[in-house]
Amino acid sequence: MGRSSKDKRDIYYRLAKEEGWRARSAFKLLQLDEEFGLFKGVKRAVDLCAAPGSWSQVLSRKLRGKEEKSEEVKIVAVDLQAMAPLPGVTQIQGDITKISTALEIIRHFEGQPADLVVCDGAPDVTGLHDVDEYIQAQLLLAALNITTHVLKPGGTFVAKIFRGKDVTLLYSQLKIFFSSVTCAKPRSSRNSSIEAFVMCQNYSPPVGYVPNMSNPLLDHSYDVDFNQLEGPNRIIVPFLACGDLSAFDSDQTYPLQLDASKEYKYTPPTQPPIRPPYQQACQLRKNNLLAKEDSPSLPLDEALSNMDI
Ligand code: SAM
């Protein structure tokens, strides 16, 4: 395959090189800005999961623009991996799930909150779709969590999302914190990918919510039997980590004796089906006449005539 064949197949790959972007994903943020006007009035921005740095490049070029504006703008880029320096971008090599990273961002902004947080984070893809979707969702929730520590009320959060089967739970989790949550798919994001971006506008956390980095799934000090969190956090923190935990989980098996004070007693269905299509098979099985894999079956007429109905 010639060197130019990827340039032919992927216009954004080619343009990224021609325009000096470190990755083709720069166009995703540029196109999101064209649609939503993301950068208007932004002075402090955070790029979560930033390496190799094409989104930070976009922030640097768009927010700092002319020389005279560059002094007032602060941009922080966070990633587990180191990345090559960029003008006007401070790098934190750290993990977005750690409170120490949130504190470092705040320190860089001298205690002022950010106007915009973007996150293009992605785990290493395994190819097992359910696993990839789950890990991506956890990374998005971690990004949301750290965002609640650093974003100003009214601010904007933009993040990559995989539109898998549990995506509505993620929307509900995001809607706790933002009055507007929109899903967008820029032209530069391939149609074959389940990737999209959530545009969360007007950060307005519930009254009394205290930003909290703990995740009941990971935090061993969290007591599942006695929720020790207070105020709105009692409901919001477990909901963010695991969805709605307020009732029985329909996928779990429970012991028959749910309540120690009451003995289990079988209750028949309230209204059994009147004449279900499987009735004949049930009768055959009751009379031990249902064909088994290793025994020759009787013809149906003979079986029915032998039956004690
Ligand atoms: N937006 C970047 C750009 O335009 O160049 C590309 C981001 S790349 C798709 C995803 C990044 O997420 C990787 O560099 C990875 O190291 C980072 N990442 C994944 N988990 C992370 C975590 N827990 N904390 C910080 N960065 C993380």
Side-chain angles (χ1 to χ4, degrees):
M1 211 175 347
R3 287 175 71 187
S4 61
S5 84
K6 191 161 180 196
D7 284 356
K8 275 194 219 146
R9 271 187 292 123
D10 185 343
I11 179 73
Y12 290 108
Y13 171 78
R14 184 181 120 201
L15 289 177
K17 290 186 295 170
E18 286 174 6
E19 293 177 20
W21 303 112
R22 289 181 181 180
R24 70 189 291 295
S25 38
F27 292 102
K28 299 174 192 169
L29 189 58
L30 288 167
Q31 290 168 355
L32 288 169
D33 174 48
E34 272 166 29
E35 199 173 335
F36 293 92
L38 280 182
F39 302 141
K40 210 160 156 236
V42 172
K43 299 246 165 57
R44 280 177 296 274
V46 182
D47 183 8
L48 299 174
C49 302
S54 79
W55 278 29
S56 292
Q57 279 184 293
V58 172
L59 292 173
S60 172
R61 288 194 203 174
K62 287 279 180 182
L63 301 184
R64 285 161 42 91
K66 301 210 177 74
E67 277 300 303
E68 66 269 20
K69 268 176 72 190
S70 62
E71 284 301 298
E72 358 167 342
V73 170
K74 284 182 190 258
I75 301 164
V76 176
V78 181
D79 203 288
L80 291 170
Q81 301 175 49
M83 63 188 216
L86 281 169
V89 178
T90 302
Q91 284 179 47
I92 298 174
Q93 192 173 351
D95 186 340
I96 65 161
T97 66
K98 297 276 187 294
I99 184 71
S100 53
T101 308
L103 297 176
E104 219 176 312
I105 297 171
I106 295 166
R107 201 164 35 248
H108 179 69
F109 289 153
E110 292 162 355
Q112 298 295 307
D115 305 303
L116 172 69
V117 178
V118 297
C119 177
D120 186 31
D124 291 338
V125 173
T126 64
L128 300 169
H129 297 313
D130 285 351
V131 176
D132 292 336
E133 277 167 39
Y134 176 76
I135 301 175
Q136 174 65 27
Q138 291 306 306
L139 197 60
L140 169 58
L141 291 175
L144 170 65
N145 240 339
I146 192 167
T147 297
T148 63
H149 286 76
V150 302
L151 189 63
K152 71 169 191 193
T156 302
F157 171 58
V158 179
K160 194 207 296 278
I161 190 169
F162 282 179
R163 287 171 307 166
K165 58 183 181 319
D166 293 330
V167 74
T168 45
L169 171 62
L170 282 174
Y171 294 147
S172 317
Q173 288 163 322
L174 291 164
K175 277 186 181 152
I176 297 174
F177 294 96
F178 295 89
S179 63
S180 163
V181 176
T182 317
C183 189
K185 175 93 175 163
R187 291 293 298 274
S188 48
S189 173
R190 294 186 179 90
N191 275 331
S192 55
S193 158
I194 58 167
E195 162 195 274
F197 294 86
V198 272
M199 184 65 47
C200 307
Q201 287 162 306
N202 192 19
Y203 177 55
S204 30
V207 177
Y209 178 75
V210 182
N212 184 309
M213 215 66 168
S214 88
N215 178 336
L217 284 177
L218 306 171
D219 182 356
H220 298 298
S221 66
Y222 180 84
D223 184 343
V224 282
D225 294 323
F226 174 67
N227 178 343
Q228 65 275 55
L229 297 163
E230 287 181 2
N233 284 38
R234 282 178 68 78
I235 296 166
I236 295 171
V237 172
F239 181 63
L240 275 186
C242 324
D244 186 0
L245 296 178
S246 62
F248 291 125
D249 175 354
S250 54
D251 292 316
Q252 198 172 322
T253 306
Y254 292 93
L256 289 175
Q257 187 135 8
L258 288 173
D259 180 347
S261 63
K262 276 199 229 146
E263 202 166 316
Y264 166 75
K265 198 165 144 270
Y266 175 74
T267 317
T270 310
Q271 173 59 68
I274 301 167
R275 193 169 168 68
Y278 50 82
Q279 192 174 24
Q280 198 176 60
C282 290
Q283 291 291 357
L284 287 167
R285 194 182 53 199
K286 197 169 143 208
N287 290 282
N288 207 20
L289 293 169
L290 204 59
K292 303 212 174 72
E293 233 174 63
D294 51 355
S295 64
S297 59
L298 286 177
L300 184 62
D301 287 351
E302 204 178 320
L304 289 172
S305 67
N306 286 345
M307 223 161 64
D308 145 38
I309 302 183

